[in-house]
Amino acid sequence: MSNTPELEKKFDARLEQNDFIEPKDWMPENYRKHLIRQISQHAHSEIVGMLPEGNWITRAPSLRAKMVLLAKVQDEGGHGLYLYTAAETLGTSRDELLDALHTGKAKYSSIFNYPTLTWADIGAIGWLVDGAAIMNQVMLQRTSYGPYSRAMVRICKEESFHQRQGYEIMCRLSFGTAEQKEMAQDALNRWWFPTMMMFGPPDKDSPNSEQAIKWRIKRETNDELRQKFVDRTVEQAEYLGLTIPDKNLKWNEAKKGYDFTEPDWSEFYNVIKGNGPCNKERLDARNQAHKNGEWVRAAAAAYAKKKKEAVAA
Ligand code: 3HC
């Protein structure tokens, strides 16, 4: 049904009442497109995010560490599936979504284009990257699109385990030998600013945020969430005895929050343009995995076809 002023008015009134918009409800075409863009990129981020950590499963320092990391990486795959399914309720297909990722047309979170050089990186990713993801995803539990909100509720429960296991690794290293503490500090130095980019560009430079807030897709802005993340994380770093690599970090009593240095946004735009340290490696890995999985998809389709024929006979 095409847009009419009455339909738009009813839709806006529903948002005002904090109603969830469901797949079968009328929605503005641009609302639907906005959601497909955001939810599919969120899903891509989960799937690509499995790669940097997956790189350490065979090199985890103990059987327990290996089991915890395996569980976390498997969770991320599940998060991707929930989110692809939520995106499909908006009338797109899995093939379309994956094709957009594999051809480099779709974005995924810039953070996953950085390399995991030491075991401390796995701790930093859980502590900082999943910590930032929780900040963003707890807010998205209140997003106006029903299937997305429900996926977020489910994902946030698992995300807390992800953040805790990362922080536990950082604790072991920070309270370990001098070399281990140095490794933890090195990881914090390399992951701090790229993590801050996860919340998106400054509000003044964000082409999507204003509309996302109007449609209650986002309930807090990029800058608000980034500020919350910094305020929450400084004390955690202090407890570890680690130094956040920002000499301008300073408590600002007036705003009841920390002043901090913005990430290098030219680096951000360069990475999302495809020129990050690992962009090519990540996309090659995803394309190879998709190719290797061809026989599984063919077998599943053949089985489904046979089942359908048997039911029809
Ligand atoms: N990496 C890559 N692209 C990014 C980005 C990032 N960190 N931040 C912003 N962008 C892109 C946006 O996609 C947009 O490009 P597009 O219009 O071509 O899609 C452009 O930069 C401008 O950014 P905006 O702020 O205007 O865009 P949004 O309103 O979409 O906000 C966002 C960006 C905050 C990432 C928002 O899309 C969002 O909240 N997405 C859902 C959460 C998400 O995707 N998180 C990614 C990490 S998931 C994760 O970490 C999993 C965990 O388990 C490890």
Side-chain angles (χ1 to χ4, degrees):
M1 222 188 304
S2 56
N3 281 24
T4 65
E6 293 69 30
L7 283 170
E8 291 265 3
K9 222 159 137 244
K10 262 203 213 134
F11 177 78
D12 292 344
R14 292 194 61 201
L15 293 181
E16 266 307 300
Q17 289 143 22
N18 279 320
D19 263 9
F20 280 131
I21 305 300
E22 297 298 337
K24 291 203 168 42
D25 294 342
W26 183 87
M27 62 183 86
E29 183 53 16
N30 286 338
Y31 174 83
R32 194 181 67 82
K33 283 194 184 130
H34 188 113
L35 283 167
I36 290 178
R37 174 191 64 83
Q38 176 164 332
I39 300 174
S40 63
Q41 290 179 176
H42 196 162
H44 297 330
S45 304
E46 300 280 3
I47 299 298
V48 174
M50 295 167 79
L51 295 169
E53 291 173 308
N55 175 28
W56 277 86
I57 290 176
T58 53
R59 295 183 282 166
S62 71
L63 182 60
R64 178 184 180 277
K66 187 197 284 277
M67 288 192 313
V68 170
L69 182 57
L70 254 178
K72 184 207 190 283
V73 172
Q74 276 172 330
D75 279 354
E76 307 298 10
H79 295 176
L81 298 182
Y82 302 150
L83 289 164
Y84 282 130
T85 311
E88 286 164 351
T89 64
L90 289 153
T92 179
S93 76
R94 186 69 58 94
D95 287 346
E96 274 173 284
L97 298 175
L98 291 179
D99 184 56
L101 172 66
H102 297 151
T103 53
K105 274 203 283 310
K107 294 184 169 73
Y108 57 85
S109 195
S110 49
I111 190 74
F112 298 123
N113 288 312
Y114 291 84
T116 43
L117 305 176
T118 73
W119 177 249
D121 288 36
I122 302 305
I125 288 179
W127 171 36
L128 299 173
V129 174
D130 287 83
I134 290 174
M135 211 57 77
N136 172 295
Q137 292 171 161
V138 163
M139 173 271 287
L140 287 169
Q141 290 178 127
R142 292 180 290 123
T143 193
S144 57
Y145 187 56
Y148 195 22
S149 161
R150 291 187 289 272
M152 285 296 99
V153 170
R154 176 91 189 257
I155 286 175
C156 284
K157 288 188 174 45
E158 294 171 339
E159 216 61 272
S160 315
F161 145 62
H162 298 174
Q163 204 261 1
R164 296 315 303 162
Q165 64 84 36
Y167 196 62
E168 185 192 69
I169 292 173
M170 295 305 273
C171 285
R172 278 175 188 266
L173 295 172
S174 304
F175 303 129
T177 63
E179 293 79 8
Q180 285 174 326
K181 180 159 187 177
E182 207 182 301
M183 197 159 75
Q185 183 62 59
D186 165 59
L188 173 56
N189 294 344
R190 285 183 288 107
W191 288 91
W192 176 253
F193 283 110
T195 301
M196 300 246 277
M197 298 174 191
M198 285 176 67
F199 296 100
D203 295 345
K204 62 180 176 49
D205 302 330
S206 158
N208 300 299
S209 275
E210 199 186 328
Q211 187 58 60
I213 293 277
K214 271 200 197 111
W215 276 331
R216 297 182 188 227
I217 293 173
K218 275 184 182 178
R219 305 307 297 262
E220 290 172 81
T221 71
N222 299 358
D223 289 336
E224 285 166 349
L225 289 176
R226 199 175 352 262
Q227 180 69 56
K228 254 180 160 175
F229 171 75
V230 173
D231 295 347
R232 188 81 50 87
T233 310
V234 170
E235 278 136 55
Q236 293 169 352
E238 279 166 1
Y239 174 75
L240 294 172
L242 299 180
T243 310
I244 286 182
D246 176 1
K247 56 183 182 342
N248 302 320
L249 190 73
K250 197 160 144 299
W251 179 255
N252 176 327
E253 190 52 31
K255 77 177 190 186
K256 295 268 182 261
Y258 284 90
D259 289 335
F260 56 87
T261 309
E262 287 280 321
D264 171 358
W265 293 111
S266 61
E267 176 187 327
F268 166 76
Y269 288 111
N270 201 25
V271 171
I272 66 173
K273 238 183 4 224
N275 307 322
C278 301
N279 294 55
K280 184 173 174 337
E281 184 187 327
R282 301 288 183 241
L283 227 44
D284 289 351
R286 281 309 318 147
N287 274 295
Q288 188 55 50
H290 193 68
K291 198 158 152 270
N292 295 347
E294 180 58 42
W295 69 273
V296 178
R297 292 190 296 277
Y303 176 73
K305 187 162 170 281
K306 229 157 172 43
K307 269 250 329 163
K308 209 166 156 199
E309 283 160 2
V311 165

